[in-house]
Amino acid sequence: MITTPGMPKASKRRRKTRTSNVNHRPPVIASDLKVNEIDLTPGKEHLVCPDCSTWVPITGMLGTPKLVPHHTGRAKTGEPHRCAAGSNRPVTIDVEAGALRTQLIEGAPTAASRRATTVLPKPKVKPAPAASQVKPAPISVEQVSRAFRQHQQQCLACKGEAKNRDGQTLPCPDGECLAVTVLRLLRQEPKRRAVREFFARERRRFDRQYAAAAPAKRASEWAAVQGRVSDADAARKTLPRGDRPADGPSLPQEPEHLERHNQRQAELGRQYAARKTLATTAA
């Protein structure tokens, strides 16, 4: 809505309005308000009006405290509405400014802990493979034997020191399972060794066949491109003599400054000899 100069506006609130008018409604009890709805700092006494929820100064702190006449909206805004129910309403100060400030300070960490923290992205974990995709790792006799010996050193039942209430020695199912596994692997070891030797022989045989067939394959590949290579050589011989790259300007065969070159080579030789002597001494 467009504001015209003749339209009334809410005036700026005076901090300490001097008036003898008193609202006949029940007084506002300071202890009934929340900690964040009242401020009793000396010289800056304010509270939130219970009727219009507006921060209003408190006047008459040395005598009869009451709320100053105020509007329900902000200052300097059009169409002001006077808060008739809360203006000049008495205030009962039954709390101390120091205690109120202490309570406000103690409640600040609690309020901060209730605020939402920064959301951290959840790490993407690779899904576990299905049971049909899991490849069991092969176990060897040495690994199981080592685990069996470590178990025997730590298990009281395997040592014969674990007994029941009747004094009988308790068996060890874990040690028995490891012993059975070791015996099974020892019994299967010749068959496993034979399978490994079979695959090793097949691999060597394949390598020999590949090495024997390589020259013939290379000869067949060369025969397939022999005609095109011959045509390229014949076409190159028909080019003019000056167009061939080999007929370009000749490169220098000796350094430009022979004495300086010899000095540099001698210096490099001495450095190499000193480095070789240092390496031999360190070894």
Side-chain angles (χ1 to χ4, degrees), residues 148-163 169-172 175-176:
F148 181 50
R149 288 193 296 269
Q150 293 178 357
H151 176 76
Q152 284 183 327
Q153 295 175 359
Q154 300 175 359
C155 181
L156 298 178
C158 293
K159 296 179 181 179
E161 300 178 0
K163 299 181 180 180
T169 305
L170 295 175
C172 179
E176 183 180 356

Side-chain angles (χ1 to χ4, degrees), residues 106-129:
E106 291 177 352
T110 305
S113 63
R114 292 195 300 266
R115 295 172 184 168
T117 57
T118 304
V119 179
L120 300 178
K122 181 179 289 187
K124 296 182 179 179
V125 181
K126 187 177 181 180

